Amino acid sequence: DVQLVESGGRLVQPGGSLRLSCAASGFSFSSYEMNWVRQAPGKGLEWLSYISSTSRTIYYADSVKGRFTISRDNAKNSLYLQMNSLRAEDTALYYCARDSDSTPFDYWGRGTLVTVSS
Amino acid sequence: EIMMTQSPATLSVSPGERVTLSCRASQSIYGKLAWYQQKPGQAPRLLIYAASTRATGIPARFSGSGSGTEFTLTISSLQSVDFAVYYCQQYSIWERTFGQGTKLEIK
């Protein structure tokens, strides 16, 4: 079965940094594009970042560009999100989601909670 | 940026009713439209992609249609398990924007 498991979320102070991980299993990770999506408490879904299967192509939403960095390690079947200069408005549940040209966001993890507060 | 607008924000319906949710894109997205269902405490689940293709395991009561900038998700006969928030998403460009969601409530 396809599984995506996020980790790394915790309470962090404004201006701090955090690295989220997404461990993939049950499919050929290196063949799929991946994304990070977040959801602030009680709010809707916000797409954050995309990475191609080879890491050659990367995109970011304007809200995180310059602060967040997406990466992947296909040998470890893992996706990452390095988050710097965190703000209160970055408080959210962060999901990773599998993507492909034919089928977008067909599998999601359960999310990891990031809380930015002093 | 392509903006996605869903309507209505909330819909109160009774089980067994037929319901149609709308999603409008700010420019043509060439059919690259997906619908997701999210229940409280759960991750979103892909229902429909390419505007009208049901994802694996999705019941036939869910159907999608539309083209250009106007899209709809129809649930033919609402069941209790269908009360949730529904999001549309465009994936025609690299910035995979979501709509703000439509919440289906029990009347």
Side-chain angles (χ1 to χ4, degrees):
Chain A
D1 286 3
V2 172
Q3 279 205 324
L4 297 170
V5 180
E6 302 93 338
S7 61
R10 61 174 175 86
L11 173 65
V12 61
Q13 291 191 337
S17 297
L18 207 55
R19 189 196 197 203
L20 305 184
S21 300
C22 170
S25 61
F27 67 101
S28 177
F29 180 72
S30 61
S31 298
Y32 285 85
E33 303 149 28
M34 297 295 295
N35 292 264
W36 287 100
V37 177
R38 71 183 177 186
Q39 187 169 35
K43 303 297 184 182
L45 302 171
E46 180 187 14
W47 171 82
L48 297 180
S49 185
Y50 160 96
I51 187 167
S52 65
S53 59
T54 62
S55 304
R56 185 170 300 175
T57 303
I58 286 174
Y59 301 119
Y60 298 99
D62 287 344
S63 58
V64 303
K65 196 176 299 181
R67 300 189 300 125
F68 290 10
T69 302
I70 192 172
S71 63
R72 64 191 295 162
D73 185 337
N74 287 342
K76 295 183 178 180
N77 291 335
S78 293
L79 174 72
Y80 306 102
L81 187 67
Q82 177 66 42
M83 309 163 65
N84 299 330
S85 303
L86 283 162
R87 308 164 180 166
E89 55 264 36
D90 294 318
T91 294
L93 189 61
Y94 285 72
Y95 295 102
C96 60
R98 192 177 83 165
D99 195 359
S100 70
D101 282 345
S102 58
T103 314
F105 295 62
D106 59 346
Y107 285 93
W108 298 61
R110 303 186 72 168
T112 187
L113 182 63
V114 173
T115 303
V116 184
S117 175
S118 54
Chain B
E1 179 185 357
I2 298 178
M3 303 293 292
M4 305 300 292
T5 302
Q6 292 185 242
S7 60
T10 304
L11 199 52
S12 295
V13 292
S14 300
E17 285 188 17
R18 176 186 179 92
V19 63
T20 298
L21 283 61
S22 296
C23 176
R24 173 180 293 177
S26 58
Q27 64 190 70
S28 179
I29 57 173
Y30 307 102
K32 301 283 190 178
L33 190 282
W35 289 95
Y36 301 86
Q37 176 194 66
Q38 188 179 34
K39 298 179 181 180
Q42 296 185 16
R45 177 175 71 147
L46 176 66
L47 297 176
I48 301 285
Y49 62 96
S52 61
T53 303
R54 276 190 302 277
T56 302
I58 301 304
R61 65 180 182 273
F62 291 92
S63 63
S65 64
S67 62
T69 62
E70 302 283 343
F71 300 87
T72 59
L73 173 70
T74 299
I75 310 173
S76 59
S77 179
L78 270 170
Q79 298 189 8
S80 57
V81 294
D82 299 334
F83 290 93
V85 179
Y86 291 83
Y87 295 94
C88 65
Q89 180 206 32
Q90 68 79 22
Y91 54 102
S92 70
I93 64 168
W94 57 268
E95 192 171 19
R96 285 142 157 75
T97 43
F98 292 91
Q100 79 277 22
T102 291
K103 183 177 182 180
L104 285 187
E105 292 183 335
I106 300 176
K107 184 185 286 185

